[in-house]
Amino acid sequence: MDDAGASLPPASLTGQMSAMGRGAREAAAVLRLGDAATRTAALKAMAAAIRAGAPEILAANARDVADATASGMAGAMVDRLLLDAARIEAMARGVETVAAIRDPLGAELDRWDRPNGLDIARIRTPIGVIGIIYESRPNVTADAAALCLRSGNAVILRGGSECLATNLAIHAAVAKGLAAAGLPETCVQIVRTADRAAVGLMLTGLEGAIDLLIPRGGKGLVARVRDEARGVAVLGHLEGLVHVFLHASADLAKATAIAVNAKMRRVSVCGAAETLLVDSADAQRLLPPVANALREAGCALRGDARARALVPGMAEATEEDWRTEYLAPILSVAVVDGVEGAAAHIAKYGSAHTDAIVAEDGAAAERFAALVDSAIVLINASTQFADGGEFGFGAEIGIATDRLHARGPVGAEQLTTYKYVVRGTGQTRP
């Protein structure tokens, strides 16, 4: 067994990664021809193994957290890494939820007849082999394994070095679930080394084995994967520059509750609000009490001139603040002119991830939803609902901000493609 934390010689690492690619391609063929019941059984067994393996997972996580803290990792990032009994139980329940959702494979998306008698059907199929490169959050190991299995894809996982021990412990439980259902353990593989060269090899596609790469992590990781991937498609998301807009018609109680929850429920998630926009038409009514509630919750505020005029003591926002994903209890605040002003601010500074409006005026809310071209637009609800589990997907790989293939929470259905099955009775083309 290799030393999980040690760098491998280039030749050895290349050979190991190539073997993983071949194993994944073979497993993908098994999954593509397999039945939904077997995949469901494997998912249920995975959930049970995660619960049974909780002591080992927590022990591994304690080592990772201790190392991360000693290295000076920021508190918000340590929170992403940290597991406890409740989070492990939530991980297991998430896998069970994926097991319970409708299996997407083989679904007939459309079917029609042509004048020449051809019967054409569009059928949902797996993508094949997916490579997922992620940071910090060990629950991604379970989520990604579950979603890829539900969608009939083999997957190669490469988690961050800061949570390698935890990821390996979770993967051990996943492997037990696969074995219990009679599926090859190569359906879900994990890179067992912290050597960064492994990422570089995945970016080459492993000799054509990987069909799709999904980066999940910070801006630097996503940029690297997008810039350096060669011969393999990439599905990723940029940072969550998330906005909450309080329209002049907003109910103050709703506005306060949503603004505080959107920012402070968990500041380290990509759906956490980073900018509060307030309609100038009634900012004097809305902003001071909402700002006070945010401050009482422990949030530091940085505002433009109009916001600071209404809230004494608010720090001055810089141009950089509007472009910053804080992932911390800090919120930028701007006063804007109506829905159009809010949409213009979001178009200039947003990342097309998630944006929300609080409004009692239905026409204004729908206008906002039409103008704001983000993957998720919410009306009178917290941006913290930007989550695949909250959408009923069971779990998610991430929130895709691209406009092709998949957008928003990436669940099992979003990890599929389709093919056409054309049935004839002997037709030939004139």
Side-chain angles (χ1 to χ4, degrees):
M1 180 173 166
D2 58 50
D3 180 355
S7 294
L8 297 173
S12 175
L13 180 60
T14 300
Q16 183 185 81
M17 296 299 293
S18 295
M20 290 178 73
R22 291 191 297 272
R25 179 54 65 190
E26 293 169 0
V30 172
L31 287 171
R32 182 172 57 83
L33 297 175
D35 58 83
T38 300
R39 293 191 293 274
T40 298
L43 288 165
K44 291 179 178 179
M46 283 165 49
I50 288 170
R51 288 193 178 95
E56 291 79 11
I57 295 170
L58 287 173
N61 186 249
R63 296 195 298 272
D64 283 336
V65 169
D67 290 344
T69 303
S71 72
M73 180 182 286
M77 299 305 292
V78 173
D79 178 64
R80 288 187 172 204
L81 170 60
L82 180 66
L83 291 179
D84 56 22
R87 289 187 178 182
I88 290 178
E89 174 58 26
M91 192 187 306
R93 286 201 308 270
V95 174
E96 287 176 333
T97 302
V98 174
I101 64 175
R102 182 179 59 189
D103 192 275
L105 299 185
E108 193 172 86
L109 302 177
D110 201 1
R111 191 166 186 171
W112 63 97
D113 293 324
R114 297 292 296 143
N116 60 7
L118 290 178
D119 174 2
I120 303 176
R122 185 162 63 240
I123 307 296
R124 195 179 297 282
T125 63
I127 290 171
V129 175
I130 297 176
I132 301 179
I133 303 168
Y134 55 103
E135 298 172 331
S136 299
R137 287 186 181 172
N139 66 288
V140 176
T141 302
D143 291 349
L147 291 171
C148 288
L149 186 60
R150 177 81 287 170
S151 55
N153 296 292
V155 63
I156 297 174
L157 303 170
R158 201 288 185 179
S161 58
E162 70 280 358
C163 55
L164 181 56
T166 309
N167 288 335
L168 291 176
I170 295 170
H171 177 261
V174 168
K176 289 178 181 178
L178 292 169
L183 289 172
E185 292 189 10
T186 47
C187 290
V188 180
Q189 299 178 80
I190 191 165
V191 177
R192 301 184 63 83
T193 174
D195 194 332
R196 289 177 176 265
V199 174
L201 290 168
M202 289 180 70
L203 296 180
T204 69
L206 299 182
E207 302 170 358
I210 297 177
D211 297 297
L212 178 68
L213 281 170
I214 302 177
R216 176 166 176 170
K219 191 174 182 179
L221 170 65
V222 177
R224 181 191 175 190
V225 173
R226 283 182 163 172
D227 291 345
E228 298 181 19
R230 300 183 297 281
V232 56
V234 176
L235 176 66
H237 76 266
L238 299 176
E239 71 268 43
L241 293 175
V242 173
H243 301 75
V244 174
F245 171 52
L246 308 183
H247 184 258
S249 69
D251 175 83
L252 180 57
K254 284 183 189 176
T256 303
I258 289 171
V260 172
N261 183 266
K263 177 71 240 184
M264 299 300 292
R265 174 187 166 271
R266 283 190 73 183
V267 299
S268 61
V269 298
C270 62
E274 305 293 7
T275 298
L276 178 69
L277 303 175
V278 185
D279 194 341
S280 61
D282 211 356
Q284 189 166 10
R285 175 180 69 93
L286 293 167
L287 181 53
V290 171
N292 184 57
L294 284 161
R295 282 174 164 173
E296 287 182 351
C299 185
L301 304 177
R302 302 175 182 178
D304 65 1
R306 292 199 284 182
R308 286 183 286 112
L310 294 171
V311 181
M314 184 185 294
E316 182 177 358
T318 67
E319 181 69 15
E320 186 61 25
D321 282 311
W322 311 120
R323 305 180 188 277
T324 299
E325 184 184 28
Y326 298 113
L327 300 176
I330 305 169
L331 187 67
S332 300
V333 184
V335 175
V336 296
D337 297 324
V339 170
E340 279 70 17
H345 185 104
I346 292 168
K348 182 175 182 180
Y349 297 110
S351 59
H353 189 291
T354 299
D355 298 291
I357 183 174
V358 183
E360 295 302 300
D361 183 334
E366 295 303 327
R367 177 68 173 162
F368 180 88
L371 287 175
V372 175
D373 188 21
S374 295
I376 303 171
V377 179
L378 298 109
I379 297 172
N380 292 326
S382 170
T383 59
Q384 296 265 342
F385 285 108
D387 178 271
E390 295 297 327
F391 275 48
F393 297 169
E396 67 174 39
I397 300 294
I399 307 292
T401 53
D402 291 334
R403 287 170 171 79
L404 297 177
H405 178 66
R407 200 175 188 203
V410 178
E413 185 175 301
Q414 289 72 36
L415 293 177
T416 63
T417 183
Y418 55 82
K419 66 181 179 183
Y420 292 94
V421 176
V422 182
R423 297 175 175 87
T425 56
Q427 290 91 335
T428 57
R429 186 170 177 177

